[in-house]
Amino acid sequence: MRVWGEQGQSRRRWRLRGLLVATLGLTLAPGVWAQRSNLKPPWNTYSPQRDVQLGKESAQVLAKRLPLCNDPKVDAYLTKLGLRLVSKMPTRGVKYPWEFHCVNDKEINAFALPGGYVFVNRGAIEAADNEAQLAAVMAHELSHVVLRHGTAQASKAQLMQGAAGIFGQIFGGSTSGALLSQGVALGAGGLLLRYSRSDETQADVLGTQTLYDVGYDPRAMAQFFEKLQAETKGKNPPQFLSDHPNPGNRVARVNEEIDKLGGVPPNAKRDSPEFEAIKREVMSLPVVKTPPASVGSAPPPPPSGNFVDYQGNGVALKVPENWKRYEDNGSVTFAPDGGISQKGGLAYGIIVSVNQVQDDGSEQALENATRALIRELAKTNPGLKMAREPARVDLNGQPGLSTYLSNESSTGTEETDWLVTVLQPQGLVSFLCVAPKAAFPEYEKTFTTVLNSVRFQR
Ligand SMILES: [Zn+2]
């Protein structure tokens, strides 16, 4: 179950450019610089410091879970290349910590967490024909970081869920949780990596400008994407293409930007002996069998029969003592170790969230709000289906609705989602109990105990 609705300086650059043009005015055709596209980062409720904090927490988790190449030569090469690219990128005065890691995974993929934690699969290095193409993949990722597209998507998701700030009212302001579900979702191809089409175009355009500014052949951006597309005709596209879908006119837009920049420079760099050496080095690394991008093959340990109290600001409940708590701004998730997939989906556990709703006091208000919530969940869970229509239940004296849904589990099988909803002054409080269908009967008793323990406080 995925809950997440799914990452000035340019002005300073302008001024710098203006200065350059003024100094070298006679040698540069006037107006060439002025044509480059000016990219505005999308609306974002997070601070850049929050980007760094979120990215750091997720990077620590991922560094433990992902099979890293552990080859200092390769990491040093990626770092050098990456830093060369970011030196030409508009960072708006934010000091990003920039970390670059090689991942021992043959899948053609690379991703960057907010705040500048970059993971490049060996598959991406092996698939690149030359250094310019690898630089293109990295420049595209780094553009998502400096334009802060990850948290911009998160901002939009919160707005849609009406959850921003609401969480604080019911569960208190504790944000000390590891933010794991959100963090990992951001990191490993989860929902938040589904950038919008305009995010993709911005990353292509800024990436192209960066390649140009560093001296690489800027056509490498379109070439690499075209290569991936061509290689996968009729097959599953590599993860990189599904995480960075073609906004529709990718190649044309990149070429347009190259024209705006004044064309491909005659001495543009395509390759280097260093890249070829690193590619050989990477190809000789032992192949690590990567675990499927899902919950570990072994199911998580069964829920403990001992329950511990969880006290929020407006609600109290009991959860198995071997479940961990993961909080973010919109919800709190209780899950056993191994209950959250690498992609950030919950496979075993309970998500408690509060959604702002219009409570008109009518008989239908709870049902309408519940159906609206299910429609919202279906947006990020395409396989979600109603298994049993909403039925009235009593949750410790509060009228509630119980709805059973079926969904595709992060484990690759079918999952059962038991949704219990109650209207409270804070909004629609929902308890979403998630387990693979086959394991659901074992978990049902635990879910029932948790729900029976719920107490609302006013
Ligand atoms: Zn992208």
Side-chain angles (χ1 to χ4, degrees), residues 89 177 189 206 260 356 415:
M89 295 181 102
L206 181 57
K260 289 183 177 182
Q356 243 173 356
E415 102 185 352

Side-chain angles (χ1 to χ4, degrees), residues 6 107-109 189-190 193-195 200 225 228-229 236-246 250 343:
E6 167 123 85
E107 169 84 47
I108 302 174
N109 200 13
L193 273 180
R194 297 213 179 136
Y195 300 119
E200 285 308 314
F225 278 107
L228 291 186
Q229 206 97 51
N236 283 337
Q239 189 66 42
F240 190 76
L241 272 190
S242 22
D243 289 344
H244 306 275
N246 189 337
R250 175 159 261 156
K343 293 197 167 186

Side-chain angles (χ1 to χ4, degrees), residues 83-131:
L83 292 179
R84 218 155 67 216
L85 295 167
V86 296
S87 75
K88 299 288 184 188
M89 295 181 102
T91 49
R92 299 189 153 227
V94 182
K95 292 250 180 294
Y96 290 104
W98 302 121
E99 275 183 21
F100 299 86
H101 303 277
C102 169
V103 183
N104 194 339
D105 185 338
K106 289 282 213 179
E107 169 84 47
I108 302 174
N109 200 13
F111 60 89
L113 300 172
Y117 301 86
V118 184
F119 294 82
V120 181
N121 280 5
R122 67 182 287 181
I125 301 172
E126 290 167 352
D129 289 331
N130 51 46
E131 187 167 80

Side-chain angles (χ1 to χ4, degrees), residues 232-401:
T232 54
K233 281 254 152 67
K235 287 190 287 175
N236 283 337
Q239 189 66 42
F240 190 76
L241 272 190
S242 22
D243 289 344
H244 306 275
N246 189 337
N249 54 349
R250 175 159 261 156
V251 174
R253 184 65 187 86
V254 166
N255 287 334
E256 185 193 323
E257 194 63 24
I258 295 171
D259 285 345
K260 289 183 177 182
L261 292 162
V264 180
N267 54 350
K269 189 174 167 181
R270 288 186 187 87
D271 209 359
S272 75
E274 208 185 349
F275 170 78
E276 294 302 329
I278 288 296
K279 188 167 164 176
R280 280 193 299 275
E281 170 103 8
V282 165
M283 286 177 131
S284 70
L285 288 172
V287 175
V288 174
K289 224 183 118 238
T290 49
S294 63
V295 185
S297 45
S304 166
N306 293 329
F307 286 73
V308 293
D309 288 312
Y310 177 72
Q311 177 68 53
N313 246 355
V315 70
L317 49 77
K318 292 179 193 296
V319 290
E321 67 175 2
N322 63 341
W323 285 12
K324 292 201 175 107
R325 173 168 58 97
Y326 306 104
E327 286 186 22
D328 59 46
N329 285 330
S331 64
V332 60
T333 298
F334 299 97
D337 278 336
I340 294 174
S341 77
Q342 222 181 53
K343 293 197 167 186
L346 179 72
Y348 300 82
I350 297 184
I351 305 166
V352 185
S353 56
V354 186
N355 284 54
Q356 243 173 356
V357 288
Q358 294 287 346
D359 182 2
D360 55 11
S362 74
E363 283 267 303
Q364 287 296 309
L366 173 59
E367 182 163 346
N368 290 345
T370 300
R371 290 191 187 272
L373 173 65
I374 294 168
R375 281 194 298 275
E376 206 51 54
L377 289 169
K379 283 188 192 161
T380 52
N381 296 271
L384 193 72
K385 287 189 190 68
M386 181 96 66
R388 219 183 293 168
E389 289 286 317
R392 297 199 170 277
V393 289
D394 179 290
L395 195 67
N396 299 308
Q398 302 288 321
L401 278 183

